[in-house]
C-alpha cells in the first residue's frame, strides 16, 4: 500500500528532517492510503524506493520481485529469482522447500537494483528486467544499501564485515572488519555533498554489541582516475567507534 501524509507537521518532518511542534489538537488521520499495489502472492520481505525514478521494487519470500510506479501505481513487471539461470540448471524450482526467498533489495537511481536471496546469492537486474550479474555473498546479509551519489553497493551481515561492491560487476572493492563487535544489523549514510567535493561523507554501522561505528571517506587515497567523481570510490577509514576504542581501517 502507498500512503500519503495528511498531517502538515509530519510531512515537514519527513521531507526536511525538522520536527515542528504541533499546535492545538492533533489530526485524527495522519496517513491516508491512496494506492494498493498488486503482484505478490506471498508475504513481502523487502522494499526499495527511489523518488527520482518513481519506482518501488519489492521482493517476497517466494522469490518473486515486482516493480511498480508509485504515483500512478502502475504494475511494470515481475521477475522470479529462479529464472536468473537457464531452466536446465534449475532442478528444484517446483519444490516449496527449496524456494529462494528475497531477503533484501537495494535500488540505485540509475535504474539498477540488487536482490539478496536466502541462499546467499546477490542478483543484479535493471528495472527493465535485464539480468546484469550474480555472485555469492557467502553469508546472510542483514543490511544492504547503495552509497548515495555513488555507484557501489554496501553490505553487512553475520560475519561482521562491511563490504563495498562495484555495481559494474558486484566485484568486492573494499572490506572493513568489524567482527570484534559481532554481526552487522544496519548501515546508513549521510547525503552526498551537493556543491563541494571537500565535504566528507559518513557511513554509520550498527553492530550486535550495541556499538555504532562512524566511518568517513578519504578521497585523497583514490587511485582510480575513472572514479574521481564517484563518492563510493573513496578510500574509507574508521572515524569513531562508540563504546569501543580500537581502530580499524579499510583496505583496498
Amino acid at each position: 500500500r502507498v500512503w500519503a501524509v495528511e498531517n502538515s507537521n509530519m510531512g515537514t518532518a519527513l521531507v526536511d528532517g525538522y520536527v515542528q511542534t504541533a499546535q492545538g489538537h492533533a489530526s485524527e488521520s495522519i496517513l491516508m492510503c491512496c494506492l494498493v499495489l498488486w503482484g505478490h502472492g506471498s508475504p513481502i520481505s523487502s522494499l526499495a524506493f527511489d523518488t527520482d525514478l518513481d519506482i518501488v521494487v519489492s521482493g517476497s519470500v517466494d522469490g518473486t520481485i515486482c516493480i511498480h510506479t508509485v504515483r500512478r501505481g502502475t504494475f511494470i513487471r515481475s521477475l522470479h529469482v529462479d529464472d536468473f539461470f537457464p531452466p536446465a540448471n534449475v532442478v528444484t524450482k517446483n519444490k516449496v522447500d527449496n524456494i529462494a526467498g528475497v531477503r533484501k533489495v537495494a535500488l540505485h537511481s540509475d535504474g539498477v537494483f540488487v536482490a539478496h536471496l536466502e541462499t546467499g546469492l546477490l542478483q543484479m537486474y535493471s528495472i527493465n528486467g535485464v539480468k546484469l550479474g550474480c555472485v555469492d555473498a557467502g553469508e546472510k546479509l542483514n543490511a544492504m544499501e547503495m552509497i548515495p551519489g555513488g555507484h557501489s553497493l554496501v553490505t553487512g551481515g553475520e560475519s561482521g564485515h562491511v563490504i563495498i561492491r562495484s555495481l559494474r560487476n558486484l566485484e568486492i572493492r573494499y572490506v572493513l572488519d568489524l567482527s570484534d563487535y559481532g554481526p552487522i544489523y544496519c548501515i546508513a549514510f549521510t547525503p552526498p555533498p551537493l556543491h563541494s567535493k571537500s565535504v566528507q561523507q559518513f557511513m554509520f554501522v550498527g553492530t550486535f554489541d550495541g556499538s555504532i561505528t562512524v566511518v568517513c571517506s578519504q578521497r585523497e587515497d583514490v587511485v582510480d582516475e575513472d572514479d574521481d567523481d564517484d563518492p563510493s570510490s573513496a578510500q574509507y577509514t574508521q572515524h569513531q567507534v562508540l563504546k569501543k576504542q580500537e581502530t580499524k581501517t579499510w583496505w583496498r
Side-chain angles (χ1 to χ4, degrees):
R1 288 174 170 81
V2 180
W3 298 82
V5 178
E6 291 288 281
N7 183 283
S8 59
N9 293 330
M10 179 67 74
T12 301
L14 292 174
V15 175
D16 295 332
Y18 295 97
V19 179
Q20 183 178 358
T21 302
Q23 301 294 330
H25 297 287
S27 173
E28 294 182 359
S29 177
I30 295 178
L31 298 177
M32 178 186 69
C33 182
C34 54
L35 288 172
V36 178
L37 307 181
W38 299 93
H40 288 285
S42 61
I44 296 172
S45 53
S46 58
L47 286 169
F49 171 56
D50 188 276
T51 55
D52 294 331
L53 294 175
D54 187 37
I55 290 291
V56 60
V57 178
S58 55
S60 60
V61 297
D62 68 352
T64 301
I65 298 173
C66 291
I67 304 172
H68 295 82
T69 63
V70 177
R71 290 179 177 86
R72 294 182 178 272
T74 304
F75 174 81
I76 298 177
R77 64 179 44 83
S78 67
L79 311 166
H80 198 282
V81 298
D82 282 347
D83 296 333
F84 194 94
F85 302 102
N89 294 337
V90 182
V91 296
T92 60
K93 182 176 179 180
N94 296 322
K95 295 183 179 180
V96 176
D97 292 341
N98 292 281
I99 290 177
V102 178
R103 188 175 176 88
K104 294 285 182 181
V105 175
L107 175 63
H108 192 272
S109 58
D110 285 348
V112 173
F113 69 89
V114 177
H116 173 57
L117 313 185
E118 291 288 350
T119 58
L121 291 179
L122 291 171
Q123 293 183 351
M124 182 165 59
Y125 302 83
S126 73
I127 57 175
N128 295 323
V130 178
K131 306 168 188 176
L132 301 177
C134 180
V135 299
D136 189 352
E139 62 175 327
K140 288 188 177 181
L141 303 176
N142 300 321
M144 186 171 74
E145 302 289 341
M146 299 289 182
I147 294 184
H151 293 84
S152 293
L153 177 76
V154 181
T155 63
E158 296 300 313
S159 69
H161 292 79
V162 178
I163 299 176
I164 296 184
R165 296 176 180 269
S166 170
L167 281 184
R168 296 171 182 170
N169 52 14
L170 295 179
E171 181 181 11
I172 295 176
R173 303 177 64 180
Y174 309 102
V175 175
L176 175 61
D177 183 2
L178 296 179
S179 58
D180 290 347
Y181 313 133
I184 294 168
Y185 283 103
C186 53
I187 297 174
F189 293 89
T190 54
L194 296 178
H195 306 293
S196 174
K197 293 183 179 180
S198 62
V199 178
Q200 288 183 327
Q201 188 175 7
F202 292 88
M203 174 171 63
F204 305 87
V205 183
T207 46
F208 174 78
D209 71 338
S211 297
I212 299 176
T213 304
V214 183
V215 183
C216 66
S217 60
Q218 301 290 336
R219 294 195 56 84
E220 62 271 17
D221 293 333
V222 177
V223 296
D224 187 350
E225 295 181 357
D226 294 335
D227 291 336
D228 284 345
D229 295 328
D230 182 357
S232 62
S233 67
Q235 182 82 6
Y236 283 80
T237 55
Q238 182 172 312
H239 180 69
Q240 179 183 2
V241 180
L242 306 184
K243 291 180 60 178
K244 296 287 183 178
Q245 301 300 323
E246 298 88 347
T247 300
K248 295 180 179 292
T249 58
W250 291 93
W251 56 266
R252 183 166 188 166

